[in-house]
Amino acid sequence: MTHRIRVLVRLRPQIYDPQGEAIRRALVGSGADGVRSVRQGKMFELEITASTTAEAETKAREVAGRVLANPVLEDFTVEVLAGCSG
């Protein structure tokens, strides 16, 4: 069975985010005065073959921890998406 999984990777809160700050300045410069902070990140959608949703989620966490995220600088979350197929 194929499971769709979304992995969100973001810099840890204590890590300075220069790209997020550049985006915030651009937003404020374009009239979005209320924007106080922006944190940018990466989003990955994976299709994983596994017998159960739990197994697919475990595989996604392993992949995210080894390849998709830098554990020193980044945190990640894993979300199982609706729509599994056989």
Side-chain angles (χ1 to χ4, degrees), residues 39-81:
R39 302 288 290 177
Q40 65 85 36
K42 302 175 276 190
M43 189 265 302
F44 302 91
E45 285 192 4
L46 309 174
E47 290 186 2
I48 296 179
T49 301
S51 355
T52 66
T53 301
E55 181 185 341
E57 186 174 353
T58 298
K59 286 182 179 183
R61 286 186 188 285
E62 289 171 1
V63 168
R66 278 195 337 252
V67 178
L68 303 179
N70 176 341
V72 174
L73 301 174
E74 298 171 316
D75 291 325
F76 65 88
T77 58
V78 173
E79 174 187 3
V80 177
L81 303 174

